[in-house]
């Protein structure tokens, strides 16, 4: 897999150098943009996971108020539930 990325990098660098005088200076900018996009995606996934966990905790609290302490299996099911199931 690393060989493919290395070849893609060399090919992209060659295309940029042939078409742009500043090809070498564009590559770091492109890489920085890709890293930034990856970081943004990770943050979005973290936010979604946090919301899902908070929703599970809220349903857990509501059920405990209504029915008292929940069995362990119910608590585990709430922890692993999808947002649609929690609704």
């Amino acid at each position: 897999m690393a060989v493919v990325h290395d070849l893609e990098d060399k090919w992209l660098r060659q295309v940029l150098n042939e078409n742009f005088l500043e090809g070498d200076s564009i590559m770091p900018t492109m890489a920085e943009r890709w890293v930034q996009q990856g970081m943004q995606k990770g943050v979005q996934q973290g936010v979604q996971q946090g919301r899902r966990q908070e929703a599970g905790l809220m349903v857990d609290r509501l059920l405990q108020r209504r029915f008292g302490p929940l069995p362990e299996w119910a608590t585990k099911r709430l922890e692993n539930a999808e947002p649609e199931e929690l609704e």
Side-chain angles (χ1 to χ4, degrees), residues 68-82:
L70 299 177
E72 186 177 336
W73 66 266
T75 303
K76 288 190 183 293
R77 183 155 182 209
L78 287 172
E79 289 173 357
N80 297 319
E82 294 297 322

Side-chain angles (χ1 to χ4, degrees), residues 14-57:
Q14 178 183 352
V15 168
L16 290 171
N17 282 331
E18 289 173 358
N19 294 292
F20 302 101
L21 295 176
E22 66 279 354
D24 281 336
S25 65
I26 290 175
M27 284 301 290
T29 304
M30 292 174 63
E32 290 167 0
R33 188 173 346 137
W34 293 333
V35 168
Q36 184 67 26
Q37 288 171 351
M39 289 173 57
Q40 287 174 349
K41 186 176 180 180
V43 167
Q44 288 172 350
Q45 289 174 343
V47 167
Q48 288 173 351
Q49 182 180 359
R51 286 181 180 163
R52 185 171 43 241
Q53 288 175 343
E54 185 60 33
L57 290 172

